[in-house]
Amino acid sequence: MFTADQVAHYNREGYVIYRDFLSQEELAAVHEEMDQISSGNTLADHDDTRMEMEPNQPPDSTLVRRIYEPCTYYDIFRAFSESPRLLDCVEQLFGPSLMFHYSKINMKPPGIGSPVEWHQDLSYYPLTNRDSVSILFYLDDASIENGCLQVLPRRHTDPLLSHSTEGFFRGKVTASVDDSDAVTLEGNAGTVIFMSCLTPHASMTNTSDKARRTLILSYRAADAYPIHCGVMSNLVETHSRIVRGERSPVARFTMTEFPIPQYENQIASLYDLQERSREDEKENG
Ligand SMILES: O=C(O)CCC(=O)C(=O)O
């Protein structure tokens, strides 16, 4: 459970840190499962329905960038997504009826791990209200050098920032970002960060020789319904399920308008969208 101060911090700042949430035993079990999932996959030959590889490595190299939807495909993570200890915290934020939304593991391997530019998660999946949280579990010690999370505090009550140019979704904030008050969230393995879906966040390339793996789970209030905007909604909703309380008979609206992400070519991951956008910016000066 959160303390009252932690809940107040989340509501005021748009994020809160919970240190030592995971035990050493839980971390060891999760590490073993991740090793098994990744094993045998190379850039040239991998299961692209389950994972994305780091692109800048030789074809026979094995660095995974992201594991897709672990809480759908692997029992250990699914059990985790339904653990009362975790849901008690989410209930303190959004009340008794909760939907699990999606999950992923970002691997940020040593020396190469891709950067993540400033973005707000809600830009990817329009909802009728803002009661959605992204929960990041550090599975390794996370520092500036290996690309820990950075957040912009107290922006989660503002309108959503633009993530599009020329009518197309770029997967990152496209206006200039004032990051002078960015907070760097270093933490030991086992630390968990609860972050509003509207809190802008980013992380740098992993320049160290240490991995920075992070499990990310998203939940929302049961009355935060998805606004349907094509294939992407279908993809993300495949994984959603009620994990506590009841389905809501009504959708609660707190937004009068919501920008719909339009994909230029085909649906792409955050990494691909941001990479493409960086290349376009270079080409166009
Ligand atoms: O892995 C990270 O550092 C941040 C990831 C993130 O923001 C995302 O995958 O949406």
Side-chain angles (χ1 to χ4, degrees):
M1 299 277 283
F2 285 131
T3 63
D5 280 353
Q6 283 175 308
V7 174
H9 193 282
Y10 178 90
N11 288 329
R12 188 181 64 246
E13 304 293 320
Y15 73 95
V16 67
I17 301 189
Y18 197 133
R19 296 195 190 272
D20 300 320
F21 190 93
L22 298 180
S23 66
Q24 291 306 315
E25 292 72 34
E26 285 171 313
L27 285 167
V30 162
H31 288 167
E32 196 182 323
E33 182 77 6
M34 287 191 301
D35 289 346
Q36 258 177 35
I37 296 168
S38 305
S39 147
N41 289 280
T42 63
L43 177 61
D45 183 15
H46 62 277
D47 181 354
D48 63 5
T49 65
R50 294 288 183 271
M51 69 193 69
E52 182 175 326
M53 307 298 288
E54 285 289 349
N56 298 319
Q57 58 176 328
D60 60 347
S61 291
T62 56
L63 297 176
V64 176
R65 178 151 79 175
R66 174 175 281 177
I67 295 173
Y68 299 143
E69 301 296 348
C71 298
T72 297
Y73 299 122
Y74 312 103
D75 288 346
I76 183 176
F77 293 109
R78 189 174 182 103
F80 203 54
S81 71
E82 294 176 357
S83 71
R85 222 175 127 227
L86 183 60
L87 295 181
D88 285 349
C89 291
V90 185
E91 179 169 346
Q92 284 177 279
L93 305 179
F94 300 149
S97 290
L98 303 172
M99 289 290 275
F100 169 84
H101 192 176
Y102 65 82
S103 62
K104 54 194 168 188
I105 299 173
N106 288 348
M107 302 290 273
K108 258 215 217 283
I112 187 169
S114 299
V116 172
E117 295 186 63
W118 292 113
H119 68 283
Q120 293 166 298
D121 287 344
L122 195 61
S123 66
Y124 283 78
Y125 45 83
L127 296 174
T128 58
N129 67 60
R130 301 163 173 249
D131 280 355
S132 158
V133 62
S134 300
I135 307 177
L136 286 86
F137 298 79
Y138 283 154
L139 304 176
D140 298 296
D141 294 346
S143 63
I144 292 265
E145 291 73 33
N146 67 356
C148 68
L149 195 76
Q150 301 183 38
V151 295
L152 300 179
R154 296 180 295 282
R155 313 282 174 92
H156 59 301
T157 49
D158 295 344
L160 190 67
L161 296 164
S162 171
H163 289 64
S164 294
T165 51
E166 293 157 356
F168 292 114
F169 186 59
R170 307 298 179 193
K172 62 177 196 173
V173 177
T174 48
S176 74
V177 179
D178 174 6
D179 59 4
S180 52
D181 61 345
V183 181
T184 298
L185 302 177
E186 295 191 308
N188 292 342
T191 295
V192 180
I193 298 159
F194 292 73
M195 178 178 65
S196 159
C197 62
L198 274 153
T199 293
H201 56 286
S203 64
M204 315 241 254
T205 305
N206 183 353
T207 55
S208 78
D209 58 3
K210 297 192 175 64
R212 195 241 56 186
R213 293 165 294 182
T214 310
L215 167 67
I216 304 178
L217 272 55
S218 172
Y219 296 85
R220 62 187 195 230
D223 62 7
Y225 272 86
I227 296 167
H228 192 270
C229 49
V231 185
M232 190 56 166
S233 308
N234 296 345
L235 285 178
V236 180
E237 284 309 307
T238 310
H239 304 280
S240 72
R241 59 194 144 84
I242 196 96
V243 282
R244 183 166 277 188
E246 309 284 334
R247 281 190 177 274
S248 175
V250 292
R252 182 168 46 92
F253 285 76
T254 59
M255 314 252 181
T256 49
E257 55 182 41
F258 204 114
I260 298 299
Q262 304 280 358
Y263 287 78
E264 189 165 14
N265 302 309
Q266 60 191 54
I267 302 288
S269 78
L270 169 147
Y271 296 109
D272 287 335
L273 279 171
Q274 295 191 350
E275 259 159 32
R276 227 179 273 163
S277 174
R278 277 195 293 276
E279 278 160 22
D280 287 352
E281 282 162 12
K282 253 189 242 153
E283 264 170 36
N284 302 327

